[in-house]
Structure formats: C-alpha cells, structure tokens
mmCIF file of all heavy atoms in Angstrom:
data_model
loop_
_atom_site.group_PDB
_atom_site.id
_atom_site.type_symbol
_atom_site.label_atom_id
_atom_site.label_comp_id
_atom_site.label_asym_id
_atom_site.label_seq_id
_atom_site.Cartn_x
_atom_site.Cartn_y
_atom_site.Cartn_z
ATOM 1 N N VAL A 4 -1.876 -63.803 11.886
ATOM 2 C CA VAL A 4 -1.495 -63.173 13.149
ATOM 3 C C VAL A 4 0.019 -63.196 13.355
ATOM 4 O O VAL A 4 0.602 -62.224 13.844
ATOM 5 C CB VAL A 4 -2.206 -63.861 14.333
ATOM 6 C CG1 VAL A 4 -1.624 -63.394 15.667
ATOM 7 C CG2 VAL A 4 -3.696 -63.557 14.290
ATOM 8 N N VAL A 5 0.679 -64.285 12.956
ATOM 9 C CA VAL A 5 2.126 -64.367 13.170
ATOM 10 C C VAL A 5 2.883 -63.338 12.338
ATOM 11 O O VAL A 5 4.031 -63.004 12.653
ATOM 12 C CB VAL A 5 2.660 -65.795 12.889
ATOM 13 C CG1 VAL A 5 2.068 -66.804 13.856
ATOM 14 C CG2 VAL A 5 2.403 -66.211 11.444
ATOM 15 N N VAL A 6 2.252 -62.819 11.284
ATOM 16 C CA VAL A 6 2.871 -61.757 10.488
ATOM 17 C C VAL A 6 3.110 -60.518 11.345
ATOM 18 O O VAL A 6 4.083 -59.788 11.157
ATOM 19 C CB VAL A 6 1.984 -61.405 9.263
ATOM 20 C CG1 VAL A 6 2.490 -60.152 8.564
ATOM 21 C CG2 VAL A 6 1.944 -62.573 8.279
ATOM 22 N N LEU A 7 2.218 -60.287 12.313
ATOM 23 C CA LEU A 7 2.351 -59.129 13.204
ATOM 24 C C LEU A 7 3.492 -59.305 14.197
ATOM 25 O O LEU A 7 3.927 -58.342 14.821
ATOM 26 C CB LEU A 7 1.049 -58.901 13.973
ATOM 27 C CG LEU A 7 -0.217 -58.694 13.144
ATOM 28 C CD1 LEU A 7 -1.399 -58.458 14.068
ATOM 29 C CD2 LEU A 7 -0.056 -57.540 12.171
ATOM 30 N N ASN A 8 3.941 -60.543 14.371
ATOM 31 C CA ASN A 8 5.033 -60.847 15.294
ATOM 32 C C ASN A 8 4.794 -60.255 16.684
ATOM 33 O O ASN A 8 5.644 -59.552 17.240
ATOM 34 C CB ASN A 8 6.366 -60.335 14.728
ATOM 35 C CG ASN A 8 7.563 -60.875 15.501
ATOM 36 O OD1 ASN A 8 7.502 -61.948 16.085
ATOM 37 N ND2 ASN A 8 8.637 -60.119 15.523
ATOM 38 N N PRO A 9 3.622 -60.550 17.297
ATOM 39 C CA PRO A 9 3.375 -60.018 18.645
ATOM 40 C C PRO A 9 4.277 -60.701 19.663
ATOM 41 O O PRO A 9 4.781 -61.803 19.424
ATOM 42 C CB PRO A 9 1.907 -60.375 18.887
ATOM 43 C CG PRO A 9 1.684 -61.603 18.064
ATOM 44 C CD PRO A 9 2.533 -61.425 16.835
ATOM 45 N N GLU A 10 4.473 -60.054 20.783
ATOM 46 C CA GLU A 10 5.288 -60.646 21.833
ATOM 47 C C GLU A 10 4.626 -61.892 22.406
ATOM 48 O O GLU A 10 5.297 -62.830 22.821
ATOM 49 C CB GLU A 10 5.526 -59.631 22.955
ATOM 50 C CG GLU A 10 6.348 -58.435 22.531
ATOM 51 C CD GLU A 10 6.544 -57.443 23.661
ATOM 52 O OE1 GLU A 10 6.314 -57.818 24.837
ATOM 53 O OE2 GLU A 10 6.928 -56.299 23.384
ATOM 54 N N GLN A 11 3.287 -61.893 22.414
ATOM 55 C CA GLN A 11 2.562 -63.003 23.038
ATOM 56 C C GLN A 11 1.257 -63.262 22.296
ATOM 57 O O GLN A 11 0.604 -62.333 21.817
ATOM 58 C CB GLN A 11 2.262 -62.660 24.504
ATOM 59 C CG GLN A 11 1.493 -63.700 25.259
ATOM 60 C CD GLN A 11 1.099 -63.249 26.651
ATOM 61 O OE1 GLN A 11 0.136 -63.743 27.248
ATOM 62 N NE2 GLN A 11 1.835 -62.280 27.206
ATOM 63 N N ILE A 12 0.882 -64.530 22.189
ATOM 64 C CA ILE A 12 -0.424 -64.918 21.672
ATOM 65 C C ILE A 12 -1.119 -65.714 22.765
ATOM 66 O O ILE A 12 -0.572 -66.687 23.283
ATOM 67 C CB ILE A 12 -0.317 -65.739 20.381
ATOM 68 C CG1 ILE A 12 0.247 -64.867 19.240
ATOM 69 C CG2 ILE A 12 -1.686 -66.299 19.979
ATOM 70 C CD1 ILE A 12 0.436 -65.605 17.929
ATOM 71 N N ASN A 13 -2.330 -65.279 23.105
ATOM 72 C CA ASN A 13 -3.085 -65.931 24.175
ATOM 73 C C ASN A 13 -4.260 -66.693 23.583
ATOM 74 O O ASN A 13 -5.037 -66.151 22.795
ATOM 75 C CB ASN A 13 -3.592 -64.889 25.174
ATOM 76 C CG ASN A 13 -4.488 -65.499 26.239
ATOM 77 O OD1 ASN A 13 -5.715 -65.493 26.110
ATOM 78 N ND2 ASN A 13 -3.886 -66.031 27.275
ATOM 79 N N LEU A 14 -4.391 -67.959 23.960
ATOM 80 C CA LEU A 14 -5.526 -68.780 23.540
ATOM 81 C C LEU A 14 -6.587 -68.712 24.628
ATOM 82 O O LEU A 14 -6.348 -69.084 25.772
ATOM 83 C CB LEU A 14 -5.075 -70.220 23.313
ATOM 84 C CG LEU A 14 -3.976 -70.418 22.263
ATOM 85 C CD1 LEU A 14 -3.609 -71.881 22.136
ATOM 86 C CD2 LEU A 14 -4.393 -69.853 20.910
ATOM 87 N N THR A 15 -7.757 -68.223 24.258
ATOM 88 C CA THR A 15 -8.796 -67.997 25.248
ATOM 89 C C THR A 15 -10.141 -68.386 24.674
ATOM 90 O O THR A 15 -10.230 -69.027 23.629
ATOM 91 C CB THR A 15 -8.759 -66.526 25.721
ATOM 92 O OG1 THR A 15 -9.715 -66.332 26.755
ATOM 93 C CG2 THR A 15 -9.016 -65.556 24.582
ATOM 94 N N GLY A 16 -11.223 -68.004 25.330
ATOM 95 C CA GLY A 16 -12.551 -68.350 24.875
ATOM 96 C C GLY A 16 -13.564 -67.353 25.412
ATOM 97 O O GLY A 16 -13.244 -66.175 25.582
ATOM 98 N N GLY A 17 -14.734 -67.901 25.800
ATOM 99 C CA GLY A 17 -15.123 -69.236 26.197
ATOM 100 C C GLY A 17 -14.039 -70.022 26.919
ATOM 101 O O GLY A 17 -13.114 -69.484 27.477
ATOM 102 N N GLU A 18 -14.213 -71.325 26.876
ATOM 103 C CA GLU A 18 -13.221 -72.243 27.418
ATOM 104 C C GLU A 18 -12.531 -72.952 26.256
ATOM 105 O O GLU A 18 -13.123 -73.823 25.614
ATOM 106 C CB GLU A 18 -13.884 -73.262 28.351
ATOM 107 C CG GLU A 18 -12.966 -74.379 28.813
ATOM 108 C CD GLU A 18 -11.655 -73.869 29.392
ATOM 109 O OE1 GLU A 18 -11.689 -73.007 30.298
ATOM 110 O OE2 GLU A 18 -10.596 -74.327 28.924
ATOM 111 N N PRO A 19 -11.280 -72.568 25.941
ATOM 112 C CA PRO A 19 -10.599 -73.119 24.758
ATOM 113 C C PRO A 19 -10.430 -74.638 24.783
ATOM 114 O O PRO A 19 -10.438 -75.285 23.737
ATOM 115 C CB PRO A 19 -9.249 -72.406 24.761
ATOM 116 C CG PRO A 19 -9.067 -71.907 26.156
ATOM 117 C CD PRO A 19 -10.441 -71.603 26.664
ATOM 118 N N LEU A 20 -10.301 -75.225 25.981
ATOM 119 C CA LEU A 20 -10.074 -76.670 26.066
ATOM 120 C C LEU A 20 -11.309 -77.479 25.675
ATOM 121 O O LEU A 20 -11.226 -78.697 25.504
ATOM 122 C CB LEU A 20 -9.647 -77.056 27.483
ATOM 123 C CG LEU A 20 -8.351 -76.426 28.006
ATOM 124 C CD1 LEU A 20 -8.000 -77.006 29.368
ATOM 125 C CD2 LEU A 20 -7.206 -76.633 27.027
ATOM 126 N N ILE A 21 -12.442 -76.810 25.496
ATOM 127 C CA ILE A 21 -13.668 -77.508 25.136
ATOM 128 C C ILE A 21 -13.666 -77.938 23.674
ATOM 129 O O ILE A 21 -14.417 -78.833 23.274
ATOM 130 C CB ILE A 21 -14.901 -76.626 25.454
ATOM 131 C CG1 ILE A 21 -16.127 -77.490 25.759
ATOM 132 C CG2 ILE A 21 -15.200 -75.658 24.316
ATOM 133 C CD1 ILE A 21 -17.307 -76.703 26.338
ATOM 134 N N ARG A 22 -12.795 -77.314 22.874
ATOM 135 C CA ARG A 22 -12.706 -77.676 21.455
ATOM 136 C C ARG A 22 -11.991 -79.016 21.302
ATOM 137 O O ARG A 22 -10.882 -79.198 21.826
ATOM 138 C CB ARG A 22 -11.932 -76.613 20.668
ATOM 139 C CG ARG A 22 -12.678 -75.317 20.432
ATOM 140 C CD ARG A 22 -11.903 -74.442 19.447
ATOM 141 N NE ARG A 22 -11.861 -75.021 18.122
ATOM 142 C CZ ARG A 22 -12.451 -74.528 17.038
ATOM 143 N NH1 ARG A 22 -13.165 -73.424 17.147
ATOM 144 N NH2 ARG A 22 -12.336 -75.116 15.869
ATOM 145 N N PRO A 23 -12.553 -79.947 20.536
ATOM 146 C CA PRO A 23 -11.881 -81.234 20.325
ATOM 147 C C PRO A 23 -10.581 -81.115 19.535
ATOM 148 O O PRO A 23 -9.718 -81.983 19.628
ATOM 149 C CB PRO A 23 -12.928 -82.057 19.561
ATOM 150 C CG PRO A 23 -13.858 -81.055 18.970
ATOM 151 C CD PRO A 23 -13.889 -79.908 19.915
ATOM 152 N N ASP A 24 -10.432 -80.019 18.774
ATOM 153 C CA ASP A 24 -9.215 -79.814 17.973
ATOM 154 C C ASP A 24 -8.245 -78.850 18.644
ATOM 155 O O ASP A 24 -7.326 -78.330 17.993
ATOM 156 C CB ASP A 24 -9.565 -79.298 16.582
ATOM 157 C CG ASP A 24 -10.337 -77.969 16.613
ATOM 158 O OD1 ASP A 24 -10.706 -77.516 17.719
ATOM 159 O OD2 ASP A 24 -10.590 -77.401 15.536
ATOM 160 N N PHE A 25 -8.426 -78.594 19.946
ATOM 161 C CA PHE A 25 -7.557 -77.639 20.638
ATOM 162 C C PHE A 25 -6.087 -78.000 20.490
ATOM 163 O O PHE A 25 -5.249 -77.130 20.211
ATOM 164 C CB PHE A 25 -7.912 -77.552 22.128
ATOM 165 C CG PHE A 25 -6.910 -76.771 22.934
ATOM 166 C CD1 PHE A 25 -6.918 -75.390 22.907
ATOM 167 C CD2 PHE A 25 -5.927 -77.418 23.685
ATOM 168 C CE1 PHE A 25 -5.969 -74.660 23.619
ATOM 169 C CE2 PHE A 25 -4.981 -76.701 24.401
ATOM 170 C CZ PHE A 25 -5.002 -75.317 24.370
ATOM 171 N N CYS A 26 -5.737 -79.261 20.677
ATOM 172 C CA CYS A 26 -4.335 -79.683 20.623
ATOM 173 C C CYS A 26 -3.745 -79.451 19.240
ATOM 174 O O CYS A 26 -2.596 -79.014 19.113
ATOM 175 C CB CYS A 26 -4.200 -81.150 21.020
ATOM 176 S SG CYS A 26 -4.585 -81.460 22.757
ATOM 177 N N GLU A 27 -4.525 -79.722 18.199
ATOM 178 C CA GLU A 27 -4.038 -79.516 16.834
ATOM 179 C C GLU A 27 -3.790 -78.036 16.562
ATOM 180 O O GLU A 27 -2.782 -77.662 15.948
ATOM 181 C CB GLU A 27 -5.042 -80.072 15.823
ATOM 182 C CG GLU A 27 -4.554 -79.995 14.376
ATOM 183 C CD GLU A 27 -5.497 -80.637 13.379
ATOM 184 O OE1 GLU A 27 -6.455 -81.311 13.818
ATOM 185 O OE2 GLU A 27 -5.282 -80.468 12.167
ATOM 186 N N ILE A 28 -4.693 -77.179 17.021
ATOM 187 C CA ILE A 28 -4.525 -75.734 16.845
ATOM 188 C C ILE A 28 -3.297 -75.247 17.605
ATOM 189 O O ILE A 28 -2.493 -74.467 17.082
ATOM 190 C CB ILE A 28 -5.789 -74.990 17.314
ATOM 191 C CG1 ILE A 28 -6.965 -75.301 16.376
ATOM 192 C CG2 ILE A 28 -5.537 -73.474 17.363
ATOM 193 C CD1 ILE A 28 -8.294 -74.747 16.861
ATOM 194 N N LEU A 29 -3.144 -75.695 18.838
ATOM 195 C CA LEU A 29 -2.006 -75.292 19.662
ATOM 196 C C LEU A 29 -0.686 -75.718 19.031
ATOM 197 O O LEU A 29 0.262 -74.918 18.953
ATOM 198 C CB LEU A 29 -2.134 -75.891 21.061
ATOM 199 C CG LEU A 29 -0.921 -75.729 21.991
ATOM 200 C CD1 LEU A 29 -0.576 -74.259 22.200
ATOM 201 C CD2 LEU A 29 -1.179 -76.417 23.328
ATOM 202 N N GLU A 30 -0.602 -76.946 18.577
ATOM 203 C CA GLU A 30 0.645 -77.448 17.989
ATOM 204 C C GLU A 30 0.967 -76.729 16.681
ATOM 205 O O GLU A 30 2.138 -76.472 16.375
ATOM 206 C CB GLU A 30 0.546 -78.954 17.771
ATOM 207 C CG GLU A 30 0.559 -79.737 19.083
ATOM 208 C CD GLU A 30 0.378 -81.225 18.900
ATOM 209 O OE1 GLU A 30 -0.330 -81.627 17.950
ATOM 210 O OE2 GLU A 30 0.943 -82.004 19.692
ATOM 211 N N TYR A 31 -0.064 -76.363 15.917
ATOM 212 C CA TYR A 31 0.171 -75.596 14.682
ATOM 213 C C TYR A 31 0.714 -74.209 15.012
ATOM 214 O O TYR A 31 1.645 -73.717 14.358
ATOM 215 C CB TYR A 31 -1.129 -75.473 13.888
ATOM 216 C CG TYR A 31 -0.945 -74.775 12.555
ATOM 217 C CD1 TYR A 31 -0.502 -75.474 11.433
ATOM 218 C CD2 TYR A 31 -1.195 -73.412 12.412
ATOM 219 C CE1 TYR A 31 -0.319 -74.835 10.208
ATOM 220 C CE2 TYR A 31 -1.013 -72.766 11.203
ATOM 221 C CZ TYR A 31 -0.575 -73.487 10.096
ATOM 222 O OH TYR A 31 -0.385 -72.843 8.895
ATOM 223 N N LEU A 32 0.134 -73.585 16.037
ATOM 224 C CA LEU A 32 0.615 -72.268 16.460
ATOM 225 C C LEU A 32 2.070 -72.340 16.899
ATOM 226 O O LEU A 32 2.896 -71.513 16.502
ATOM 227 C CB LEU A 32 -0.258 -71.732 17.595
ATOM 228 C CG LEU A 32 0.190 -70.424 18.253
ATOM 229 C CD1 LEU A 32 0.245 -69.297 17.229
ATOM 230 C CD2 LEU A 32 -0.736 -70.064 19.406
ATOM 231 N N ARG A 33 2.397 -73.337 17.721
ATOM 232 C CA ARG A 33 3.770 -73.473 18.219
ATOM 233 C C ARG A 33 4.766 -73.695 17.082
ATOM 234 O O ARG A 33 5.890 -73.172 17.120
ATOM 235 C CB ARG A 33 3.842 -74.633 19.210
ATOM 236 C CG ARG A 33 5.216 -74.886 19.816
ATOM 237 C CD ARG A 33 5.579 -73.876 20.900
ATOM 238 N NE ARG A 33 5.894 -72.545 20.414
ATOM 239 C CZ ARG A 33 6.023 -71.489 21.210
ATOM 240 N NH1 ARG A 33 5.844 -71.596 22.511
ATOM 241 N NH2 ARG A 33 6.310 -70.310 20.698
ATOM 242 N N ALA A 34 4.366 -74.433 16.067
ATOM 243 C CA ALA A 34 5.264 -74.727 14.948
ATOM 244 C C ALA A 34 5.527 -73.500 14.086
ATOM 245 O O ALA A 34 6.545 -73.427 13.388
ATOM 246 C CB ALA A 34 4.682 -75.855 14.097
ATOM 247 N N ASN A 35 4.627 -72.502 14.137
ATOM 248 C CA ASN A 35 4.746 -71.346 13.251
ATOM 249 C C ASN A 35 5.004 -70.032 13.975
ATOM 250 O O ASN A 35 5.068 -68.975 13.334
ATOM 251 C CB ASN A 35 3.466 -71.213 12.413
ATOM 252 C CG ASN A 35 3.294 -72.337 11.423
ATOM 253 O OD1 ASN A 35 3.839 -72.284 10.315
ATOM 254 N ND2 ASN A 35 2.554 -73.367 11.808
ATOM 255 N N TYR A 36 5.174 -70.080 15.282
ATOM 256 C CA TYR A 36 5.336 -68.852 16.060
ATOM 257 C C TYR A 36 6.364 -69.083 17.153
ATOM 258 O O TYR A 36 6.286 -70.071 17.897
ATOM 259 C CB TYR A 36 3.979 -68.456 16.651
ATOM 260 C CG TYR A 36 4.011 -67.324 17.642
ATOM 261 C CD1 TYR A 36 4.367 -66.034 17.252
ATOM 262 C CD2 TYR A 36 3.661 -67.538 18.977
ATOM 263 C CE1 TYR A 36 4.383 -64.989 18.170
ATOM 264 C CE2 TYR A 36 3.671 -66.512 19.891
ATOM 265 C CZ TYR A 36 4.031 -65.237 19.484
ATOM 266 O OH TYR A 36 4.054 -64.208 20.393
ATOM 267 N N LYS A 37 7.337 -68.178 17.252
ATOM 268 C CA LYS A 37 8.446 -68.348 18.194
ATOM 269 C C LYS A 37 8.271 -67.554 19.493
ATOM 270 O O LYS A 37 9.074 -67.686 20.413
ATOM 271 C CB LYS A 37 9.765 -67.944 17.523
ATOM 272 C CG LYS A 37 10.065 -68.693 16.233
ATOM 273 C CD LYS A 37 10.062 -70.200 16.426
ATOM 274 C CE LYS A 37 10.351 -70.928 15.112
ATOM 275 N NZ LYS A 37 10.232 -72.401 15.278
ATOM 276 N N GLY A 38 7.237 -66.719 19.556
ATOM 277 C CA GLY A 38 7.029 -65.923 20.760
ATOM 278 C C GLY A 38 6.362 -66.718 21.864
ATOM 279 O O GLY A 38 6.237 -67.942 21.808
ATOM 280 N N ALA A 39 5.899 -66.005 22.892
ATOM 281 C CA ALA A 39 5.281 -66.647 24.050
ATOM 282 C C ALA A 39 3.828 -67.019 23.750
ATOM 283 O O ALA A 39 3.064 -66.207 23.220
ATOM 284 C CB ALA A 39 5.339 -65.726 25.259
ATOM 285 N N ILE A 40 3.457 -68.246 24.080
ATOM 286 C CA ILE A 40 2.078 -68.711 23.962
ATOM 287 C C ILE A 40 1.519 -68.891 25.370
ATOM 288 O O ILE A 40 2.119 -69.577 26.199
ATOM 289 C CB ILE A 40 1.983 -70.040 23.193
ATOM 290 C CG1 ILE A 40 2.487 -69.854 21.751
ATOM 291 C CG2 ILE A 40 0.546 -70.550 23.180
ATOM 292 C CD1 ILE A 40 2.523 -71.147 20.954
ATOM 293 N N THR A 41 0.382 -68.272 25.633
ATOM 294 C CA THR A 41 -0.257 -68.420 26.938
ATOM 295 C C THR A 41 -1.669 -68.964 26.751
ATOM 296 O O THR A 41 -2.272 -68.820 25.688
ATOM 297 C CB THR A 41 -0.297 -67.090 27.709
ATOM 298 O OG1 THR A 41 -0.933 -66.088 26.885
ATOM 299 C CG2 THR A 41 1.104 -66.634 28.067
ATOM 300 N N LEU A 42 -2.177 -69.557 27.796
ATOM 301 C CA LEU A 42 -3.500 -70.182 27.764
ATOM 302 C C LEU A 42 -4.338 -69.661 28.913
ATOM 303 O O LEU A 42 -3.886 -69.628 30.058
ATOM 304 C CB LEU A 42 -3.354 -71.705 27.877
ATOM 305 C CG LEU A 42 -4.623 -72.523 28.128
ATOM 306 C CD1 LEU A 42 -5.558 -72.446 26.922
ATOM 307 C CD2 LEU A 42 -4.273 -73.970 28.452
#
C-alpha cells in the first residue's frame, strides 16, 4: 500500500482495537509510511 503513496491511510474494521496485535501493526505502518494515519 505504501508504494501507492496515498495522502492518508485509515485503520478501520470492524473494531480495529480488538486485535491483540493492533499496536504492532500501527507501529510498523508508522515506521514505513510518512503520510497521515487515521483511526
């Protein structure tokens, strides 16, 4: 997805916070993407 270089990436669901690995996914996204992240 980061190859597309979108202006914004939104994490959604369902309820995304229900995943036990949500924090790991979020931190990986932040480390590899410089645009806006929304939840």
